[in-house]
Amino acid sequence: MSSVSHASASTTQIVRPARSLRGSLTLPGDKSISHRYAMLAGFAAGTSRLTNFSTGADPHSSLGCMKAMGAQVALDGRTISVTGTGGNLHQPKHNLDCGNSGSTMRMLAGLVAPQQGVYTFVGDESLTVRPMERIRKPLEAMGARIELTEGHAPMTVHGAPLKAIDFDAPIASAQVKTAVLFAGLQAQGVTSFAESVRTRDHTEHALRAFGVELERRDERLYIQGGQKLQAIDATVPGDMSSAAFFLCAALLFEDSNLVLDLLGMNPTRAALLDVITALGGTIKVLDVQEQYGEMAGTIQVNRSRGGLKGIDIAGALSAQLIDELPVIAAIAPYTQDGIRIRDAKELRVKESDRIALVVKNLRAMGAEVTEHEDGMDVPGGQRLRGGIVDSGMDHRIAMAFSIAALRAEGETEIHGAEAASISFPEFFTYLDELAVR
Ligand SMILES: O=C(O)C1=C[C@@H](OP(=O)(O)O)[C@@H](O)[C@H](O)C1
Ligand SMILES: C=C(OP(=O)(O)O)C(=O)O
């Protein structure tokens, strides 16, 4: 990077090409795990200590909401202490502000639906147009009442005593699974949940960490209502979806060398490592540990000699890589055989329409790309030129195109670069440290 300029509300970051990517990093805690630990610690009895908690704005929105509902939160560097409400959330005095975070709004809806009181959730411009119907359906089937505004936030949850349901998820969403399990935890009877694609399982591990019994039989999860939660002392593993930017950057240079410590290696989040290997990276796992069911390890990434291969990503793999697809697509022009992505329609309802924005920004950098309703085809063997990138105030778009910029000819301007702080405030500092110029 060379300079940062502030134009009205938006920050522009200039990213210069690099010659290599070298160094080692310990990434801030995983965003998905941090959300779940924040919510369950705020709900449990006792004081939880959460070390290496995410530095992203999103999990801090979850902490803020838990605070507004009676949890006590104290910050001490990378460790956060949360004293929970022992299962009785307070009705908040104001609207619950979820900021930019879909996870906060959807998962908390499940936690408050069985509680007494009325809870109104609001968010920023992007969150206000994201679909919430997907959680209204199961929670209303259990007995809660949820008011939406044309299917979106603002969302008001009227809590009520809930009864268990058997729910078969029509879409692959770990946030919907979490909302149903959090409601089932407090419902009368045994709630079951089945999904056709196995999504990230952090909620299952987190519930067990806090002492909840949860069973999986024939791909269906069962949770008995009325269980009590006890505080934990946990270290959050580094975020694989943040690591994705540097892992993809390491692929772009033959002599790159990247070591990541304490990286979350939960198998439901690690599909990216297979993609990196398929494209031509080599990954050495130097050490693996486990805490509360979550694996964390040290990995070393290099690139094999020769050009980068291509890959087709579709079906369950698209769901497992959903947050990594923007950066995978952004480096696709630099592969030999190109990358084709399908079955990723969910990308259209994230913080932005990520298919449309990836296509627009690839074209702004001179790439050829074909847009599909559920994905895109990016041919390989292309050279990109530095251009003007519009983040759409979407963190993953801002960071994905900063990586594409490393191999472009000339400088790239990332408009709305500050969006990175939603999940990874340190991103540009780390990129500067790792990029060899
Ligand atoms: O459960 C989670 O922590 C998440 C699940 C995914 O969303 P969906 O549940 O909407 O697929 C993902 O895109 C999001 O970044 C985090
Ligand atoms: C989609 C994302 O998060 P959320 O749904 O929590 O806003 C993301 O982090 O890419």
Side-chain angles (χ1 to χ4, degrees):
M1 262 68 42
S2 44
S3 68
V4 180
S5 68
H6 297 266
S8 65
S10 168
T11 305
T12 296
Q13 187 85 43
I14 309 284
V15 183
R16 287 185 287 120
R19 285 186 289 122
S20 187
L21 190 105
R22 302 182 72 82
S24 62
L25 275 187
T26 305
L27 292 161
D30 184 78
K31 171 165 94 71
S32 293
I33 298 175
S34 296
H35 277 301
R36 287 151 173 91
Y37 284 179
M39 292 175 194
L40 294 180
F43 189 67
T47 300
S48 294
R49 278 171 49 83
L50 309 174
T51 300
N52 200 39
F53 191 84
S54 167
T55 50
D58 272 9
H60 286 265
S61 292
S62 288
L63 277 176
C65 290
M66 294 312 296
K67 222 169 140 181
M69 294 190 286
Q72 288 167 42
V73 179
L75 276 76
D76 177 11
R78 283 263 169 110
T79 299
I80 293 191
S81 299
V82 181
T83 304
T85 57
N88 294 308
L89 298 175
H90 307 177
Q91 177 164 318
K93 293 196 183 72
H94 306 286
N95 292 342
L96 292 163
D97 186 358
C98 305
N100 189 244
S101 174
S103 297
T104 304
M105 193 174 282
R106 296 191 182 123
M107 297 185 201
L108 280 183
L111 199 66
V112 305
Q115 295 276 313
Q116 277 186 356
V118 179
Y119 305 81
T120 295
F121 294 85
V122 295
D124 69 6
E125 213 181 306
S126 147
L127 184 52
T128 301
V129 295
R130 293 182 64 189
M132 294 296 145
E133 200 61 49
R134 52 185 66 190
I135 48 127
R136 192 178 69 82
K137 285 209 176 107
L139 297 178
E140 288 208 335
M142 296 175 89
R145 188 159 70 80
I146 299 186
E147 287 170 60
L148 297 176
T149 317
E150 295 173 7
H152 311 130
M155 170 177 81
T156 299
V157 179
H158 299 263
L162 301 190
K163 55 181 191 308
I165 54 165
D166 297 308
F167 189 68
D168 288 83
I171 46 166
S173 166
Q175 294 176 5
V176 172
K177 171 168 68 180
T178 306
V180 173
L181 292 177
F182 282 2
L185 172 68
Q186 307 165 69
Q188 201 184 0
V190 177
T191 294
S192 77
F193 179 93
E195 54 190 355
S196 54
V197 170
R198 188 141 184 212
T199 62
R200 63 191 72 194
D201 63 1
H202 304 301
T203 300
E204 293 90 309
H205 290 304
L207 282 166
R208 290 190 182 111
F210 281 87
V212 172
E213 278 181 30
L214 185 76
E215 239 189 281
R216 175 180 279 278
R217 263 183 279 131
D218 301 330
E219 294 307 302
R220 187 171 272 280
L221 288 163
Y222 296 86
I223 188 165
Q224 166 79 56
Q227 301 189 57
K228 299 286 170 242
L229 279 68
Q230 284 303 325
I232 61 167
D233 190 340
T235 298
V236 183
D239 194 313
M240 177 65 85
S241 301
S242 297
F245 300 104
F246 300 128
L247 292 170
C248 287
L251 282 183
L252 300 180
F253 309 98
E254 268 196 1
D255 62 344
S256 55
N257 182 42
L258 177 65
V259 176
L260 300 174
D261 286 321
L262 191 73
L263 178 65
M265 307 258 278
N266 177 318
T268 62
R269 290 288 296 288
L272 177 71
L273 299 184
D274 297 330
V275 172
I276 296 290
T277 310
L279 291 173
T282 53
I283 297 178
K284 272 192 220 144
V285 178
L286 306 176
D287 163 55
V288 185
Q289 303 158 22
E290 192 236 286
Q291 189 191 34
Y292 293 128
E294 293 289 353
M295 319 267 271
T298 302
I299 64 167
Q300 180 177 19
V301 187
N302 302 97
R303 167 175 154 182
S304 331
R305 294 213 166 274
L308 290 182
K309 300 184 194 81
I311 192 170
D312 287 357
I313 298 173
L317 189 56
S318 292
Q320 284 156 9
L321 289 169
I322 199 74
D323 292 343
E324 290 78 61
L325 290 176
V327 66
I328 293 172
I331 62 158
Y334 302 122
T335 62
Q336 282 173 348
D337 309 320
I339 293 182
R340 288 150 296 279
I341 297 169
R342 291 289 187 286
D343 304 317
K345 213 170 158 187
E346 275 290 305
L347 284 178
R348 293 209 182 265
V349 290
K350 296 292 183 187
E351 285 81 326
S352 67
D353 177 340
R354 289 182 174 162
I355 295 178
L357 261 187
V358 166
V359 167
K360 172 178 152 177
N361 288 318
L362 277 172
R363 288 185 181 144
M365 295 181 76
E368 195 188 301
V369 48
T370 307
E371 179 171 355
H372 293 273
E373 188 45 36
D374 65 342
M376 67 194 84
D377 291 350
V378 188
Q382 305 192 62
R383 297 173 81 133
L384 302 191
R385 55 168 193 269
I388 295 182
V389 163
D390 169 17
S391 79
M393 291 313 289
D394 182 330
H395 53 130
R396 303 222 186 264
I397 301 293
M399 294 187 276
F401 282 88
S402 302
I403 300 305
L406 298 177
R407 271 273 304 267
E409 280 164 42
E411 293 181 348
T412 298
E413 282 183 30
I414 310 282
H415 290 197
E418 74 272 32
S421 66
I422 289 298
S423 59
F424 196 4
E426 306 80 356
F427 172 77
F428 286 106
T429 307
Y430 288 169
L431 183 59
D432 230 3
E433 284 168 18
L434 295 174
V436 180
R437 297 222 155 77

